[in-house]
Amino acid sequence: MRVGYVRVSTKEQNTARQDVLMDQLGVEKVYTDKVSGKNTERPELQRMMEYVREGDVVVVESISRFARNTKDLLELTEQLEKKGVQFVSRKENLDTSTPTGEFLLSFFGALAQLERKNILERQAEGIAIAKAEGRMNGRPQKAVDTFADVYAEVKAGNKSASQGARELGIARSTWYRKAREFEKGEQEVDFG
């Protein structure tokens, strides 16, 4: 039996292109995940791995849809091999029933992992540039220009720490942490 595995990273993404390919390749049963491929803890992938039997062929559009790193790719294909299941990746024209296919599996897996690392590196660089330009500041800061006044009222016993935290719009745990910083002489209190 030809069994297909389709994956997109989010529920909003469309699987149509991969679904059409599965039809074209004569896949009889398809498992679809709409989650990140960062690990192998994907519900439909696990169901498929349990379902396949000796003589089956697992078909994917590309290695990147099946695994994000070489380690996961090799572990998954080893599990398939132990069950007597062949693995085929259409994009890379890879078929593990041949020695060349086994070699290419390792090679393409390493390339997929390299590309993923490059993407993450570019993403981190973009975030750093955006932060340096002031376009990305994280969670908005809470207004705290009256911390010293509220702190003084709490210290004088006119308010409880809970009331002070509520007035400033912060959690009690944040209040206590910032109060300790304030008491140590750090006059500028950051609530970010």
Side-chain angles (χ1 to χ4, degrees):
M1 173 181 252
R2 293 176 74 79
V3 179
Y5 179 71
V6 170
R7 185 187 64 78
V8 290
S9 297
T10 66
K11 291 182 189 217
E12 292 79 30
Q13 289 179 323
N14 192 318
T15 62
R17 183 178 53 82
Q18 292 179 68
D19 293 334
V20 167
L21 178 66
M22 294 297 144
D23 285 340
Q24 290 172 348
L25 297 175
V27 171
E28 300 163 65
K29 186 166 182 66
V30 178
Y31 291 85
T32 302
D33 273 317
K34 291 189 173 190
V35 296
S36 169
K38 67 182 177 181
N39 61 44
T40 60
E41 299 302 315
R42 293 172 258 151
E44 292 300 303
L45 174 65
Q46 296 303 316
R47 283 190 192 96
M48 183 201 68
M49 295 297 286
E50 290 172 16
Y51 176 81
V52 292
R53 303 287 181 260
E54 185 173 348
D56 288 347
V57 178
V58 169
V59 179
V60 297
E61 182 265 335
S62 72
I63 289 173
S64 67
R65 301 294 89 205
F66 191 59
R68 278 282 182 82
N69 62 58
T70 306
K71 178 181 173 281
D72 288 348
L73 176 64
L74 295 177
E75 285 177 2
L76 288 168
T77 54
E78 183 179 329
Q79 289 174 33
L80 293 173
E81 185 180 325
K82 284 180 182 175
K83 293 178 98 175
V85 176
Q86 182 183 344
F87 176 77
V88 173
S89 175
R90 178 64 176 197
K91 181 177 180 182
E92 293 85 7
N93 198 20
L94 176 71
D95 182 339
T96 60
S97 67
T98 67
T100 303
E102 287 183 16
F103 167 74
L104 289 175
L105 178 68
S106 297
F107 178 74
F108 286 129
L111 284 178
Q113 184 173 344
L114 176 64
E115 178 57 21
R116 178 69 182 146
K117 286 183 178 182
N118 285 340
I119 289 169
L120 292 174
E121 187 176 283
R122 289 191 303 266
Q123 185 179 45
E125 289 171 357
I127 290 170
I129 290 169
K131 283 182 177 180
E133 293 174 352
R135 291 185 286 129
M136 192 171 195
N137 298 321
R139 190 176 69 191
Q141 301 266 331
K142 296 182 180 173
V144 293
D145 56 345
T146 60
F147 180 82
D149 296 332
V150 174
Y151 176 82
E153 288 189 49
V154 171
K155 273 307 213 189
N158 298 332
K159 288 183 182 174
S160 69
S162 295
Q163 290 170 324
R166 203 171 20 256
E167 186 176 318
L168 292 170
I170 60 175
R172 264 188 359 182
S173 59
T174 303
W175 166 269
Y176 288 117
R177 181 171 44 89
K178 295 305 178 181
R180 283 190 302 274
E181 290 173 8
F182 190 77
E183 288 168 357
K184 288 180 185 175
E186 298 176 18
Q187 298 300 314
E188 195 172 307
V189 179
D190 174 24
F191 283 84

